[in-house]
Amino acid sequence: MTTTPQANALHTDLLAMLGERGVLQDERSLTTFSKDAFYYSPVLRAELADKRADIIAAPQSVEELRELVRYACAHDLPLTMRGSGTGNYGQCVPLAGGIVVSTHRLGRILELNAQTGVARTEPGARLGQIERQARPLGWELRCYPSTWATAAVGGFVGGGFGGVGSVRNGVLWDGFLRSIIVMEVTPQAALHRLEGAALLGFIHAYGTSGIMVELEVNLSAAVPWEEAALSFPDLESALRFGHALALDAAQDKRLISLHEWPIPGYFGPLEAAGGVASGRALALLELREGRTDAVLERARAWGGELTYRTDSAAYHAGKFCLSDFTWNHTTLWAMRRDEGWTYLQSNLSSEVERALAQMAELRAYHGQVQVADGSQGCGVAFHLEIGRQGVGSEGERLFISALDLIYLQDAAQIQAAVDERERIGVSVANPHTYFLDADPRWSGQPVLDARAAYNPRGLLNPGKLSRGAEAGSA
Ligand code: FAD
């Protein structure tokens, strides 16, 4: 525990406010709660290693949170909101020290309305809990990250993008939220109920625009899902199949995740279950019950062969689910096997021919490298997620998002790989920067407007916007 007089005074004050369970200041907690999953990036590992909170606060009610906000305002202390700390870009790392506010004691599901399909929750409620409790009532999450078991709903809205379900229902911007209640970071700590366009100021805003204290999440009608893994001769065949499946309105699906070899070889538990065919690409799918046979039949045209299957009774009930190998979990499995890998998030063309040409160019750019076991391999390995954006709007479109593994650890080489993608027309949501306004997915002015209204003194999560943006212009 830090023992300066200031640290002691802070501890005493917060203890009086939040009680024993609401305050953490031991070394281990300070280290743990000051980090998230930024360690996937060698660049952020170096830049964020020494950033640390002075204390961790875990209020258990809106009233306790209000007292904390008033205290922070009175003492000019930075506040950094934290859900479960699984964000990848240092989103809940306290860049300027101060108080990390963990929402793990604000984790209640307040209401699951079986008639309207709306979940009303506290910000720390886990997505997995919402999905599991909603399903027996006939509802499920519209989309969720592969970290669904631990991630908090406030953290997903504040730092996420999309995931399982995005191929069907779109991403966070596509009606995931119905409303939020926000606490402003001022001495009044007033509450505001926001809906409609005002929600844009809080989606993927890295906790810079106000504190979400309650969320209403729109669910979608539950579907019995089956899982299937199919191997293909190569990624091109898998992509042609996956793209056709994504466009086929008659086939309902929750997940289309495609992986070129050697990536499937990193999926230990799936390999042990016989789900991986050596040397072949892999498609991981969630399909509506009763439709899997038809999809398998269709996949044969591209050389697809079934390697693994579960029925709907086993959905989310086994030792693992196929989504455990998708979205950014793919990177996790690769890094576990070989720490030389990191990743980018490259938005390929949604046209298959152009996407294939872009991948060919990038394979040539990255060339051959020697990997940890001494063998030669390509310096890029493609993992693709197919999803939809703008669902329900005129601008609805399919996306092919690569979470492309790159065999690089040097910051300058990683930046050069980003520049190369942009040179050939592939935009990158760069996971090697912690600046929100460097992310092409951020909402821009609505975040700045919300920040001006609900975080006027900039005490919330300072440093996450580059200097120009923090001063107020997008
Ligand atoms: P945290 O990391 O705790 O917080 C995220 C941001 O939200 C922070 O900026 C924080 O300040 C802010 N925040 C938290 N609570 C509040 C609040 N009450 N008010 C205001 N701001 C708040 N992301 C995806 O979108 N899709 C994926 O499929 C996906 N897969 C992943 C796989 C792995 C293996 C890993 C490590 C990460 C993945 N992520 C993915 C990123 C991350 O897991 C998700 O975005 C997750 O939903 C974040 O939730 P969290 O509770 O951990 O948020």
Side-chain angles (χ1 to χ4, degrees):
M1 165 160 162
T2 320
T3 52
T4 62
Q6 293 91 332
N8 284 343
L10 189 56
H11 189 253
T12 307
D13 291 348
L14 263 56
L15 210 56
M17 204 183 294
L18 308 174
E20 287 277 350
R21 291 186 57 216
V23 188
L24 298 164
Q25 210 181 24
D26 59 287
E27 289 299 328
R28 200 166 154 198
S29 301
L30 289 178
T31 304
T32 307
F33 283 82
S34 298
K35 294 191 187 312
D36 60 14
F38 68 73
Y39 67 90
Y40 286 30
S41 160
V43 181
L44 295 184
R45 271 203 297 274
E47 287 182 3
L48 299 178
D50 62 343
K51 306 291 182 240
R52 215 167 132 88
D54 297 308
I55 200 159
I56 316 300
Q60 61 169 345
S61 66
V62 172
E63 270 321 303
E64 285 191 357
L65 184 62
R66 178 174 279 132
E67 268 198 76
L68 188 66
V69 165
R70 287 185 172 144
Y71 181 87
C73 289
H75 294 82
D76 227 11
L77 282 169
L79 291 174
T80 299
M81 296 307 297
R82 180 186 169 93
S84 300
T86 68
N88 287 111
Y89 325 124
Q91 289 117 305
C92 57
V93 172
L95 295 178
I99 305 174
V100 162
V101 185
S102 173
T103 56
H104 68 266
R105 297 173 81 212
L106 288 169
R108 285 164 283 249
I109 297 175
L110 302 169
E111 187 189 358
L112 268 171
N113 190 318
Q115 266 70 50
T116 59
V118 174
R120 190 165 61 83
T121 76
E122 291 184 331
R126 293 185 174 202
L127 293 164
Q129 214 186 340
I130 301 173
E131 168 84 7
R132 287 187 197 285
Q133 291 188 25
R135 190 159 279 281
L137 300 177
W139 300 95
E140 64 183 30
L141 287 166
R142 289 173 63 82
C143 70
Y144 61 84
S146 56
T147 46
W148 67 297
T150 48
V153 62
F156 184 41
V157 171
F161 170 69
V164 179
S166 287
V167 68
R168 187 170 191 259
N169 303 316
V171 293
L172 276 174
W173 289 259
D174 297 324
F176 180 87
L177 271 183
R178 180 187 170 88
S179 75
I180 51 178
I181 297 179
V182 168
M183 182 180 287
E184 62 182 38
V185 181
T186 66
Q188 294 72 39
L191 297 178
H192 305 265
R193 186 172 191 278
L194 305 179
E195 52 189 15
L199 299 173
L200 274 182
F202 289 82
I203 297 173
H204 202 80
Y206 290 13
T208 58
S209 45
I211 301 178
M212 291 178 276
V213 299
E214 199 176 292
L215 299 91
E216 277 191 313
V217 170
N218 290 316
L219 303 169
S220 91
V223 170
W225 297 109
E226 299 180 342
E227 297 176 310
L230 276 71
S231 82
F232 288 85
D234 49 35
L235 186 66
E236 177 174 341
S237 323
L239 176 57
R240 290 188 188 285
F241 156 77
H243 192 259
L245 178 61
L247 289 176
D248 183 352
Q251 296 297 350
D252 207 354
K253 54 261 156 188
R254 207 181 191 190
L255 180 71
I256 303 178
S257 179
L258 311 171
H259 306 261
E260 81 176 326
W261 189 261
I263 300 172
Y266 301 138
F267 301 158
L270 184 59
E271 192 169 35
V276 172
S278 181
R280 287 169 63 93
L282 197 65
L284 303 177
L285 310 175
E286 293 189 10
L287 302 164
R288 186 184 275 266
E289 180 180 55
R291 301 292 173 85
T292 304
D293 288 334
V295 172
L296 292 178
E297 188 52 42
R298 197 158 173 215
R300 287 203 185 98
W302 289 277
E305 290 172 10
L306 182 72
T307 57
Y308 178 86
R309 182 173 181 172
T310 62
D311 64 21
S312 61
Y315 190 61
H316 288 165
K319 284 199 180 131
F320 64 83
C321 41
L322 286 188
S323 66
D324 293 348
F325 307 101
T326 67
W327 291 84
N328 213 20
H329 265 78
T330 309
T331 316
L332 176 67
W333 290 101
M335 287 172 57
R336 272 190 193 162
R337 190 67 64 85
D338 183 341
E339 288 179 350
W341 289 115
T342 184
Y343 75 116
L344 291 177
Q345 299 176 132
S346 306
N347 197 14
L348 299 177
S349 169
S350 54
E351 274 175 46
V352 170
E353 301 309 324
R354 182 77 195 113
L356 288 168
Q358 288 170 335
M359 286 191 278
E361 281 192 63
L362 293 172
R363 284 192 189 97
Y365 171 80
H366 283 276
Q368 293 289 304
V369 294
Q370 190 173 337
V371 298
D373 67 6
S375 65
Q376 288 279 317
C378 186
V380 63
F382 284 100
H383 148 214
L384 311 176
E385 297 291 342
I386 302 188
R388 281 193 160 72
Q389 259 175 304
V391 167
S393 75
E394 272 185 18
E396 176 168 339
R397 67 173 189 91
L398 209 65
F399 64 77
I400 302 176
S401 175
L403 284 89
D404 33 350
L405 297 177
I406 52 171
Y407 207 79
L408 292 174
Q409 294 292 303
D410 174 80
Q413 290 178 348
I414 292 171
Q415 186 55 50
V418 172
D419 295 343
E420 176 62 14
R421 281 158 176 73
E422 281 171 354
R423 191 187 69 75
I424 65 166
V426 173
S427 78
V428 178
N430 185 355
H432 304 282
T433 171
Y434 55 78
F435 284 129
L436 168 61
D437 49 317
D439 187 331
R441 300 168 299 184
W442 92 301
S443 302
Q445 199 58 46
V447 174
L448 297 178
D449 292 346
R451 184 172 178 272
Y454 309 114
N455 177 26
R457 296 168 61 178
L459 283 181
L460 262 185
N461 223 342
K464 292 292 177 347
L465 292 161
S466 62
R467 213 175 295 148
E470 208 144 88
S473 58

